[in-house]
Amino acid sequence: ALDDTARIPSGVSLFGGFAGTESSPEARRAINFAHETILKIDRADASVVEIHDGRDIRLDGLTFTGANGKPGVVLLRCAPTVVLAHCRIARNTAPEPGAGLSI
């Protein structure tokens, strides 16, 4: 669990869904969440992940959960090279629409 929002800088890729025996991201089974990798925030009024002015970022095979008072994932002024693939955004709450994802 995270104590504070994860801020992902440009050029970073995060992959989840590994069982531990794979030798590459292509070998994992993230698409069916057989080996779910969860990023959970344990602090009120915080997002799980925020990307501001990002480019060349890939978040793949991850679950984002636990945001309370802010969206789970925030993408602000990002280039089209920021990719969320095979991700699950669930069980986040916010006072406004967009509790899961704010773009």
Side-chain angles (χ1 to χ4, degrees):
L2 302 169
D3 291 331
D4 202 1
T5 300
R7 301 193 194 295
I8 311 299
S10 291
V12 170
S13 294
L14 297 176
F15 293 92
F18 291 95
T21 58
E22 302 87 349
S23 58
S24 71
E26 294 76 29
R28 36 183 195 127
R29 297 183 176 263
I31 197 160
N32 66 6
F33 295 92
H35 304 286
E36 191 171 22
T37 302
I38 300 170
L39 295 179
K40 180 180 180 192
I41 188 80
D42 279 341
R43 195 181 107 211
D45 205 31
S47 296
V48 181
V49 169
E50 289 187 8
I51 301 172
H52 295 209
D53 302 305
R55 59 183 0 89
D56 303 321
I57 296 171
R58 184 175 185 92
L59 304 178
D60 191 326
L62 302 166
T63 295
F64 306 98
T65 189
N68 183 357
K70 299 270 185 162
V73 177
V74 175
L75 305 178
L76 184 63
R77 296 180 310 272
C78 291
T81 57
V82 173
V83 176
L84 274 69
H86 312 119
C87 289
R88 180 179 291 163
I89 302 171
R91 297 174 304 281
N92 300 286
T93 59
E96 300 174 9
L101 176 64
S102 176
I103 300 176

